[in-house]
């Protein structure tokens, strides 16, 4: 706890907020305005901002490893584990061996003993593979069982893995290059749909919401038509398709399971924000 001016003591709480106690030791509801420019308060606010940005960066990196199902050197996890932000993001993620066999929930990392995991039998095991995977949930054959066990363990994941929405690619696919399941979601104004794209982390290019997915070393782009009209024009979501690096629309049979799931997830989320009947009059 740092000492501020006038006998006040300030510190960061567990949620990264600056809290203050007066000279008598009583915690105040807010930091007094006269301490707004105090150097100690300023430093704590800057530290809080840095810690928040650092945690977001850790979360984004781990989510990218998961969505791409990238092999992660166990040495990297061991090296960053002492960092509280990294540990918070990595803890309780389902980790598999390099061969993809499910090992368990990540609970610890040690340079000599390997990664500590809790397996589906509730036992603590050690994974000593040089590389591990944090798989996309659509690739987990035991997903339902893992979800049930996670509830029993009270698992809370900072990176959405077990409870990420998944869409399994049908065993039999129709011909063509488009899926129309979530087409026809009407919006009163294009700017509302574009705004939803932004909030979901989708880029809009050439009239389509796009998301890149790297799977098995190949990058494809999921695309949902949103329109290239004026911002205040009425519009609706179009069909979902996938394109290769050359821009060619892929036959549905060439779309991998992760690209399928992530593309459907984007299309469903855009459709979910549509204008519902009766809202126009509200």
């Amino acid at each position: 706890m740092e000492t501020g001016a006038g006998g006040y003591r300030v510190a960061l709480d567990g949620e990264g907020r600056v809290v203050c106690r007066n000279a008598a030791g009583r915690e105040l509801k807010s930091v007094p305005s006269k301490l707004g420019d105090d150097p100690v308060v300023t430093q704590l606010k800057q530290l809080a901002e840095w810690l928040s940005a650092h945690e977001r960066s850790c979360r984004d990196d781990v989510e990218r490893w998961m969505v791409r199902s990238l092999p992660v050197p166990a040495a990297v996890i061991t090296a960053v584990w002492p960092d509280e932000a990294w540990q918070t993001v990595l803890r309780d993620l389902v980790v598999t061996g390099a061969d993809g066999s499910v090992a368990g929930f990540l609970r610890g990392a040690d340079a000599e003993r390997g990664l500590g995991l809790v397996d589906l039998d509730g036992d603590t095991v050690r994974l000593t593979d040089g590389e591990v995977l944090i798989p996309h949930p659509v690739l987990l054959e035991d997903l339902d069982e893992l979800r049930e066990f996670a509830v029993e363990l009270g698992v809370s994941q900072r990176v959405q893995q077990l409870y990420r929405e998944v869409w399994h690619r049908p065993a039999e696919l129709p011909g063509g290059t488009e899926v129309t399941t979530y087409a026809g979601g009407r919006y009163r104004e294009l700017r509302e749909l574009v705004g939803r794209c932004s909030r979901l982390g989708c880029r809009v290019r050439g009239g389509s919401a796009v998301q890149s997915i790297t799977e098995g070393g190949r990058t494809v782009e999921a695309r949902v038509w949103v329109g290239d009209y004026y911002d205040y024009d009425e519009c609706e979501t179009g069909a979902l398709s996938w394109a290769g690096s050359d821009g060619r629309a892929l036959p549905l049979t060439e779309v991998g399971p992760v690209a399928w799931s992530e593309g459907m997830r984007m299309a469903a989320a855009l459709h979910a924000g549509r204008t519902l009947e009766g809202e126009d009059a509200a």
Side-chain angles (χ1 to χ4, degrees):
M1 183 172 286
E2 301 286 347
T3 303
Y8 291 102
R9 297 176 65 83
V10 291
L12 290 182
D13 66 8
E15 298 180 1
R17 297 175 301 184
V18 179
V19 294
C20 179
R21 293 182 183 273
N22 61 19
R26 182 171 62 87
E27 184 171 327
L28 306 179
K29 291 183 179 180
S30 61
V31 178
S33 58
K34 62 183 177 182
L35 294 183
D37 296 326
D38 184 272
V40 175
V41 174
T42 300
Q43 290 172 9
L44 284 175
K45 288 180 178 179
Q46 291 173 342
L47 175 60
E49 292 174 359
W50 183 89
L51 290 172
S52 178
H54 177 52
E55 183 175 344
R56 286 196 304 272
S57 176
C58 296
R59 187 170 60 248
D60 290 346
D61 284 345
V62 174
E63 185 170 10
R64 183 165 58 252
W65 297 346
M66 181 194 70
V67 171
R68 296 185 178 186
S69 295
L70 293 172
V72 182
V76 170
I77 296 178
T78 300
V80 301
W81 189 260
D83 184 317
E84 184 176 347
W86 275 106
Q87 187 175 143
T88 299
V89 171
L90 288 167
R91 185 175 178 83
D92 283 330
L93 288 176
V94 175
V95 175
T96 76
D99 61 356
S101 58
V102 174
F105 297 90
L106 182 61
R107 288 293 175 88
D110 183 272
E112 295 183 358
R113 296 186 297 165
L115 304 183
L117 311 167
V118 175
D119 66 14
L120 287 176
D121 294 323
D123 297 326
T124 299
V125 297
R126 290 284 171 179
L127 185 62
T128 58
D129 293 24
E131 289 186 334
V132 298
L133 297 174
I134 301 172
H136 188 284
V138 79
L139 301 178
L140 292 170
E141 294 182 2
D142 301 324
L143 181 58
D144 290 338
E145 186 178 355
L146 286 164
R147 284 173 171 172
E148 291 176 4
F149 192 49
V151 172
E152 294 177 14
L153 288 177
V155 163
S156 177
Q157 296 181 327
R158 296 300 291 270
V159 170
Q160 202 176 36
Q161 184 192 34
L162 287 182
Y163 297 101
R164 190 181 188 87
E165 303 94 332
V166 296
W167 279 260
H168 293 280
R169 186 181 58 185
E172 296 184 7
L173 291 168
T177 61
E178 295 184 338
V179 176
T180 58
T181 306
Y182 295 108
R186 185 176 64 85
Y187 281 74
R188 286 172 297 194
E189 298 174 352
L190 175 61
R191 64 192 185 103
E192 294 178 0
L193 178 50
V194 172
R196 185 164 179 82
C197 291
S198 179
R199 291 190 296 275
L200 293 171
C202 308
R203 294 180 294 115
V204 176
R205 188 180 69 243
S208 293
V210 299
Q211 180 182 6
S212 295
I213 304 109
T214 300
E215 179 177 8
R218 182 182 70 160
T219 299
V220 301
E221 188 175 77
R223 298 174 175 175
V224 173
W225 176 255
V226 296
D228 56 359
Y229 325 110
Y230 291 109
D231 286 350
Y232 294 93
D233 284 350
E234 184 177 345
C235 63
E236 63 179 39
T237 57
L240 166 67
S241 63
W242 290 264
S245 57
D246 59 358
R248 178 181 64 89
L250 296 176
L252 298 182
T253 53
E254 294 183 16
V255 180
V258 175
W260 180 278
S261 184
E262 289 297 303
M264 292 291 282
R265 181 173 182 263
M266 175 179 68
L270 293 178
H271 185 267
R274 66 194 183 281
T275 301
L276 300 177
E277 186 176 352
E279 284 188 350
D280 288 324

